[in-house]
Structures are given as structure tokens and as C-alpha cells.
Amino acid sequence: NYIAHFGLGKCLANRGEWSQALDEYDRTLKLERGYGAAHYAKAIALERLGRTAEAVDHYQNAITLQVGGPTLRIQLARALLHLERFDEAATQFADALRFRLHWPDIYTGLGATLFRRGATDEALEVYRQALRRQPDMPQVNDRLARILATHPEEKYRDPPQAVILAERACRSTGRQD
């Protein structure tokens, strides 16, 4: 029964036994190839085992099978970013924004992707757009502050604004780590 193997895989994953969980997800998919939740779970297990390129295929299968929503797209985007597949990562982060405009992870991920791709102006605009929507996003304030404080090109540096943003990031977390 594919459901039983999937359930066992989830239990093993919850215990951090990723190799064994992966074996159960493989059994699940051998019995029911179109079970999207198993593709999603397998992708997570593969990433935990350092097999990001393989994980991408299963994240994409899960999306094709209409499993998950913005969280799945964020995970796929992060995996693509790890593989330096910047254009694809940016597309997935942008798709995630269609679902959840208020999730800081989407903005930080999209901004980081654009920045690593060398599109600094676009990255800055993504961060600023996020802060116009919700000024107290600590991750976004932090990322933007870092760029404004340390960018090698003078035209992007604005140390006074970087301090304001860094202080806002600290305040919005209650100065917690």
C-alpha cells in the first residue's frame, strides 16, 4: 500500500532518518507514480542528503501534480539558487509571490537571486517593494542594509540608510537572535 510506505517515510523523516525515509518514498512512488506528496517529501529528503539536483526534479514533479503552494515554490527556488540556476530560481520566487505577497522569505529569496545574478537594481527594487508592503520584515531590512553598507560600487552605497534599516531589523525582532 503506497499510503503506508508514505506514512512510514514521514515518520522516519520526522526522526531525521533521511536515507530510510527516502527508501520509503521510493517504494511509495514505485506503487503510485503520480502521488505528488511523495515527490515533495522525496525532494526534501534528497536535499537533506545533499542531493539538490535530484531534489529539483521531484519539486518540479510535485508542482506539476499541483501539490503544495508557495512553500513548495520557495523550496524549489532555494534549491535552484543553490545550483546557481538564477533565472529559474527568480521565476519560482516570482510565482510564489502570486500566492503570498506578505511572506518575507519570498522577497529575501527573490532579492538574493537577483543580486547573485548581478541585477542589483532589480534586487534593490524587490527589497524596497517588500518594505513598502510591510516595513518591519527583519530579513528584508537586513539584506537591504547589507547591500547599502557594503556594495563595492559607490552608487549603491548609502551608509546612513543602511544603519536605519539595520536598526529597524533589530527592533522588529525585539533585538533577539
Side-chain angles (χ1 to χ4, degrees):
N1 180 320
Y2 72 96
I3 296 293
H5 287 288
F6 180 72
L8 178 55
K10 294 297 280 182
C11 290
L12 292 164
N14 287 337
R15 292 185 2 198
E17 297 176 24
W18 297 105
S19 290
Q20 295 87 343
L22 183 59
D23 290 341
E24 292 305 320
Y25 300 143
D26 284 337
R27 288 182 184 100
T28 302
L29 291 169
K30 186 175 181 180
L31 294 168
E32 181 55 57
R33 191 84 203 124
Y35 191 43
H39 282 285
Y40 191 2
K42 182 175 179 175
I44 293 168
L46 286 164
E47 270 205 280
R48 294 295 179 112
L49 294 168
R51 295 163 57 184
T52 306
E54 292 173 74
V56 165
D57 292 336
H58 289 280
Y59 283 134
Q60 290 171 330
N61 286 339
I63 288 171
T64 299
L65 294 165
Q66 299 179 344
V67 174
T71 303
L72 170 58
R73 291 185 183 279
I74 291 168
Q75 287 174 289
L76 172 57
R78 286 181 179 154
L80 291 164
L81 182 58
H82 177 78
L83 297 172
E84 298 186 357
R85 291 166 57 180
F86 301 125
D87 292 339
E88 293 170 84
T91 298
Q92 291 305 318
F93 280 122
D95 284 349
L97 274 177
R98 290 184 303 129
F99 293 100
R100 296 282 189 269
L101 290 175
H102 65 281
W103 282 14
D105 284 354
I106 300 170
Y107 290 102
T108 55
L110 180 55
T113 300
L114 293 168
F115 185 73
R116 286 185 62 194
R117 189 171 70 181
T120 303
D121 290 317
E122 292 175 51
L124 292 172
E125 181 52 36
V126 165
Y127 291 138
R128 289 179 176 132
Q129 178 187 33
L131 294 177
R132 283 191 295 273
R133 289 187 176 285
Q134 189 175 336
D136 63 343
M137 292 184 196
Q139 305 96 319
V140 176
N141 279 291
D142 177 65
R143 293 279 175 103
L144 183 54
R146 284 193 227 177
I147 293 171
L148 297 177
T150 65
H151 199 281
E153 290 184 49
E154 183 68 35
K155 71 179 185 176
Y156 293 116
R157 280 189 294 225
D158 186 348
Q161 184 64 27
V163 170
I164 291 167
L165 293 166
E167 287 175 343
R168 187 186 304 157
C170 290
R171 268 194 317 275
S172 63
T173 62
R175 300 202 182 271
Q176 305 278 326
D177 286 339

